[in-house]
Amino acid sequence: MGATNIAVQDVCPGRVVSHGEMLYKALPYQLVVDVLSHAGTANPGRLPFGKCADALLPGVTADEVYWFNTVVAADVIATTNAAAKTALEPPLRDYAQ
C-alpha cells in the first residue's frame, strides 16, 4: 500500500530525534505500533493524547540509553581507528582532471 514519511517535528514541533535515537524514543515507537495495529500507513492522529510528553519508549530507562550511546560511540571510534589509512592522496584519474 505504500509508505508515509512522517517527520517527528510535524507531530511534535521542536522535538529533535537523531537517526540513532529512533531506536529508543517514544514517538517513533508509537508510530510503528500504530502502523502495525491498523491497515494502511501510520496516522499521527491516532496516537494517544500526550504523545509528545514521553521521552523514551516503554521499558527503556535513561541508564540504558546512556550505555547504548556509550557502546555505539566506542564502536564507531574502534571501527574508525581500525580502518585502513593512507599517507597520501591517490593521483587523480584521467577522467577527473
Side-chain angles (χ1 to χ4, degrees):
M1 177 170 266
T4 301
N5 186 15
I6 301 171
V8 170
Q9 294 77 20
D10 289 345
V11 181
C12 299
R15 175 69 57 97
V16 177
V17 178
S18 70
H19 287 92
E21 292 175 322
M22 294 280 190
L23 297 171
Y24 53 78
K25 292 291 187 169
L27 185 63
Y29 169 78
Q30 291 173 347
L31 289 167
V32 169
V33 169
D34 178 75
V35 76
L36 294 175
S37 303
H38 299 89
T41 59
N43 180 351
R46 289 191 295 247
L47 299 183
F49 178 78
K51 61 190 167 282
C52 296
D54 294 330
L56 303 175
L57 64 95
V60 174
T61 67
D63 282 343
E64 290 168 327
V65 169
Y66 170 81
W67 287 110
F68 171 82
N69 287 330
T70 301
V71 168
V72 168
D75 185 53
V76 167
I77 291 168
T79 302
T80 302
N81 287 339
K85 296 175 180 56
T86 181
L88 301 171
E89 288 284 331
L92 283 177
R93 295 190 183 239
D94 291 338
Y95 63 81
Q97 294 183 16

